[in-house]
Amino acid sequence: MKRLTTQPRPNWRSIVESQGLVYGTPARDARGADRPYWDESVYYEFDMDEILALEADVELLHSMCLNAVEQVVLMDRYADFGLPEWSWQPIAESWRRSDPHVYGRFDLRYDGRRPAVLLEYNADTPTTLLEAAILQWYWLKDKFPNDDQWNSLHEQLVDRWKMVRDLLPSDELHFTWSGVESTGEDQITTTYMQETAAEAGFQTVGLMIEDIGWDSALERFVDLEESEIHTMFKLHPWEWVLEDEFGRHVVSSLPQTMWIEPLWKTLLSNKAILAVLWEMYPGHPNLLPAYLDDPHELTEYVRKPKLGREGANITIVGGGMDTATGGVYGEEGFVYQLLDPLPQFDDMRPALGAWIVGDSSAGLGIRETGGLVTDDGAAFVPHRIPPK
Amino acid sequence: MGSEEGLPPGSGEPEGDKTQRIGRPADEQKPPLAWSEQDESTQYTSGGSVEYQDASTTRPKPPTPAELRAREKFAQKQREIEEARLEAEANRRKRNRRLIGAGVAVGVVGVVAGLGYWALSAPSVTAQCVRDDQNGQPVIVPDSYCTDHTAGLNGFFFFGGHQYRYYYGSSGSIGQRPTGGTTTAPKGATITTKSGTTIQRGGLGGKFSSGKGGGS
């Protein structure tokens, strides 16, 4: 793994805009100066061997996560996850029915010297998908046409939708995002998912989640045409759905209305799963020690809210790196994870976002920060695998 | 034992095959990216399609006969519930009257705030159904609370122990306080509600106009 610089394509800004990148709030470099969110003046280079090892790690982590869900359901450990009690039974049912899942993103610490370790798992509403699937692919084709990339996201998403289609009662699929998300990132990500599903043969309809209707007479969700919604892809986290006014309707609509990602993923997108994994697989090379609500023996640790996102409300203790980020999360408790600082390449720190589609590894996206926490000031940078 | 047999899947395969699997075929054609402005539905060779809906242009599809029947049943049931409740309330009032004597005289000259009551073809005003919260402040509720129930006194509708009434010409969405508007219907205006149906919207997602999304 190496960090290298290169000349950006002369018209890169209009290229990535035409490919859908209209959101990129400016990122920051190590000195705090603005840098483009999509920064193709830098890239990472990997050996195929490294990528093969990472792929194997990701699929292993995925299967460990599924085992962890099974354990949480069997042992009724929902309280550790800060989930409302009325949702426990439906979560278990969603898991036992094997409600279909489509994708997720593991955030890994990797430096090319020792095995990748799991920092967290975005199992429910991962973004940076378009960057990883489309933008960096076309960058590679323009700059290094003979190189490879850890990237079969598009094909695997289409294939996964085809498989999911056989499990659903109807080939109509609604896609929804929150209209209050002001940058457009959620809408673009949702629209990209919608395209992959359409390519797989689904009749897709996109609309804002605020426009979804609940028909109390017929007890069903409807779109703006007042047609029944059979299956809904939502870029809206389950913990928010459960708090929303229609949350109970959503849960009681299962499985007549199928929601993707499925309800059981609310366990995986919750950082309490990190502690469960460490309990089940202590000392595993791809895991860091992690505990619920108390640091135990850890003297250097990262405290993360169970339901935080975008690097908010993170506290780092130890290593002369004590720092904290602000935010609105943490009401439901915290997880303490051993501090294993992101490695430094030049003056930046990359975090690897490794994608899983269905049950197989599907691609890589890299985000870089100057600081220790990969937050919304992180830039997305592409990668390549040169031929041997 | 061959050197490859004991290795975990993925680590011992020939490099060439693996490259094929990880990479995309170089000659592959991507579909057109559909977030350029496209209103009509985009068709794919697979038979799939992409369509968008938004609140200002999408119109409901006509209901099926089965749906109409189900809705009529639902409305009937709501009427029965309301009638039973009114009856129970009337009984209670009678009992109360016996207990507290004369009781409080409520004005009986009701103004029925029905749809189209003032329908004269003039300016059109949207009515929103509101309920007063515990502080006496109005909060917008689904129109069905007003439309599905019998009008009571002074333009109030009673249902489930709460009273509802219309605000005319106000704006805001369900759960918010109405902005502007008046409690008396403007004379000579055509009064409509946005829905008049049993479908409620806005129960998922954000209540505020700008903020963070759910992606991570």
Side-chain angles (χ1 to χ4, degrees):
Chain A
M1 178 180 181
K2 279 183 251 170
R3 184 181 195 265
L4 297 161
T5 55
T6 183
Q7 200 63 33
R9 292 167 291 178
N11 49 344
W12 67 270
R13 209 177 278 273
S14 61
I15 295 175
V16 298
E17 264 173 34
S18 74
Q19 288 164 355
L21 190 85
V22 290
Y23 36 95
T25 43
R28 290 178 295 279
D29 68 13
R31 284 169 301 283
D34 274 5
R35 73 188 276 210
Y37 165 69
W38 161 264
D39 187 352
E40 61 176 68
S41 68
V42 183
Y43 67 87
Y44 284 82
E45 188 183 294
F46 294 88
D47 285 343
M48 184 56 88
D49 293 343
E50 285 181 298
I51 297 298
L52 295 179
L54 282 166
E55 269 207 310
D57 286 347
V58 166
E59 292 186 1
L60 182 62
L61 281 169
H62 175 67
S63 64
M64 284 156 62
C65 283
L66 297 184
N67 291 343
V69 173
E70 174 78 17
Q71 209 222 33
V72 172
V73 169
L74 278 177
M75 301 179 69
D76 284 331
R77 294 189 57 177
Y78 308 101
D80 287 339
F81 289 71
L83 291 162
E85 196 165 346
W86 61 269
S87 69
W88 297 358
Q89 188 61 27
I91 291 170
E93 284 162 12
S94 157
W95 171 248
R96 293 199 186 105
R97 272 194 310 264
S98 304
D99 287 355
H101 62 291
V102 175
Y103 76 147
R105 194 191 74 227
F106 290 99
D107 287 346
L108 306 174
R109 181 215 179 272
Y110 182 70
D111 57 9
R113 293 182 194 88
R114 56 186 168 90
V117 288
L118 176 64
L119 299 174
E120 54 191 69
Y121 185 17
N122 293 292
D124 186 12
T125 58
T127 54
T128 69
L129 176 65
L130 182 82
E131 296 88 311
I134 299 291
L135 265 57
Q136 65 171 350
W137 179 255
Y138 284 107
W139 167 84
L140 183 80
K141 291 294 110 185
D142 288 344
K143 295 285 292 186
F144 305 99
N146 299 318
D147 279 19
D148 210 337
Q149 193 170 73
W150 182 6
N151 186 0
S152 52
L153 271 163
H154 189 92
E155 296 77 0
Q156 292 215 39
L157 284 168
V158 173
D159 287 350
R160 183 64 185 172
W161 283 122
K162 284 182 185 157
M163 195 182 285
V164 167
R165 202 176 151 201
D166 296 336
L167 305 173
L168 297 175
S170 137
D171 67 356
E172 202 176 78
L173 190 48
H174 284 75
F175 285 79
T176 187
W177 69 94
S178 176
V180 304
E181 198 274 319
S182 47
T183 69
E185 179 176 13
D186 286 5
Q187 180 177 1
I188 296 288
T189 306
T190 310
T191 306
Y192 176 60
M193 283 301 268
Q194 186 177 351
E195 289 209 1
T196 59
E199 214 178 307
F202 275 104
Q203 315 294 315
T204 67
V205 178
L207 76 168
M208 288 195 298
I209 199 160
E210 288 80 6
D211 284 336
I212 290 172
W214 168 252
D215 186 336
S216 52
L218 307 186
E219 302 207 322
R220 64 190 194 184
F221 284 98
V222 294
D223 63 16
L224 285 164
E225 287 183 347
E226 299 183 6
S227 297
E228 182 176 3
I229 293 173
H230 300 285
T231 306
M232 177 79 84
F233 171 91
K234 47 148 204 71
L235 201 71
H236 190 63
W238 272 110
E239 70 265 18
W240 293 2
V241 172
L242 297 179
E243 282 175 356
D244 281 343
E245 188 189 340
F246 290 171
R248 284 169 192 261
H249 296 318
V250 171
V251 169
S252 68
S253 74
L254 290 166
Q256 285 77 18
T257 306
M258 202 48 94
W259 296 74
I260 293 172
E261 294 295 310
L263 178 56
W264 57 263
K265 276 221 171 173
T266 195
L267 297 174
L268 286 177
S269 62
N270 186 307
K271 291 182 188 71
I273 202 72
L274 298 170
V276 175
L277 284 167
W278 185 250
E279 265 174 48
M280 292 175 69
Y281 304 98
H284 192 283
N286 298 120
L287 295 177
L288 291 172
Y291 302 99
L292 290 169
D293 302 320
D294 184 291
H296 290 268
E297 81 280 3
L298 305 178
T299 54
E300 301 191 334
Y301 58 81
V302 182
R303 190 187 78 155
K304 305 174 176 188
K306 288 176 184 171
L307 294 174
R309 48 194 66 248
E310 301 268 328
N313 298 90
I314 304 273
T315 303
I316 296 178
V317 171
M321 297 167 165
D322 290 26
T323 178
T325 60
V328 295
Y329 303 103
E331 200 186 345
E332 63 297 322
F334 292 89
V335 168
Y336 295 79
Q337 188 183 43
L338 176 70
L339 174 63
D340 189 358
L342 290 172
Q344 242 179 325
F345 285 75
D346 303 328
D347 52 1
M348 296 304 285
R349 296 175 184 274
L352 268 51
W355 291 89
I356 191 113
V357 172
D359 301 310
S360 65
S361 132
L364 170 70
I366 302 172
R367 293 189 75 189
E368 273 195 339
T369 45
L372 287 172
V373 179
T374 307
D375 55 14
D376 55 7
F380 191 99
V381 297
H383 77 277
R384 62 183 274 230
I385 308 168
K388 282 224 165 142
Chain B
M1 204 202 232
S3 64
E4 308 230 323
E5 279 176 33
L7 293 172
S11 60
E13 288 168 31
E15 222 122 75
D17 290 350
K18 205 62 186 179
T19 313
Q20 282 290 316
R21 191 165 79 74
I22 291 172
R24 264 172 234 275
D27 55 350
E28 178 215 349
Q29 279 296 310
K30 292 271 171 213
L33 299 176
W35 41 77
S36 52
E37 284 161 38
Q38 270 175 271
D39 271 358
E40 285 144 33
S41 133
T42 314
Q43 285 290 331
Y44 285 73
T45 47
S46 59
S49 65
V50 171
E51 185 200 316
Y52 305 103
Q53 298 182 343
D54 68 79
S56 52
T57 57
T58 308
R59 292 285 162 264
K61 277 184 183 157
T64 66
E67 286 171 335
L68 284 175
R69 285 174 62 86
R71 276 190 203 291
E72 182 45 45
K73 264 191 206 158
F74 175 79
Q76 180 61 37
K77 198 166 164 216
Q78 296 296 313
R79 276 194 294 275
E80 284 168 16
I81 292 171
E82 181 61 10
E83 275 161 21
R85 200 193 57 78
L86 287 173
E87 199 179 313
E89 194 163 274
N91 288 339
R92 194 163 59 240
R93 213 176 284 133
K94 262 185 233 155
R95 270 203 312 279
N96 287 348
R97 196 170 295 146
R98 274 204 299 278
L99 289 171
I100 61 169
V104 185
V106 188
V108 239
V109 192
V111 178
V112 180
L115 297 181
Y117 189 85
W118 288 271
L120 289 173
S121 87
S124 159
V125 170
T126 305
Q128 290 185 305
C129 188
V130 302
R131 175 171 96 192
D132 288 347
D133 64 14
Q134 57 269 47
N135 306 319
Q137 295 295 312
V139 173
I140 300 170
V141 297
D143 291 332
S144 58
Y145 284 93
C146 287
T147 51
D148 291 354
H149 305 113
T150 324
L153 306 170
N154 295 325
F156 282 98
F157 304 85
F158 297 95
F159 178 63
H162 293 287
Q163 52 185 27
Y164 302 88
R165 66 193 145 136
Y166 279 121
Y167 257 53
Y168 300 93
S170 54
S171 61
S173 56
I174 288 167
Q176 295 175 332
R177 302 209 184 291
T179 321
T182 157
T183 53
T184 40
K187 278 227 167 74
T190 306
I191 296 162
T192 54
T193 56
K194 273 193 180 151
S195 61
T197 72
T198 56
I199 295 170
Q200 243 191 90
R201 298 187 196 272
L204 285 171
K207 302 276 185 288
F208 310 99
S209 59
S210 141
K212 285 286 217 181
S216 58

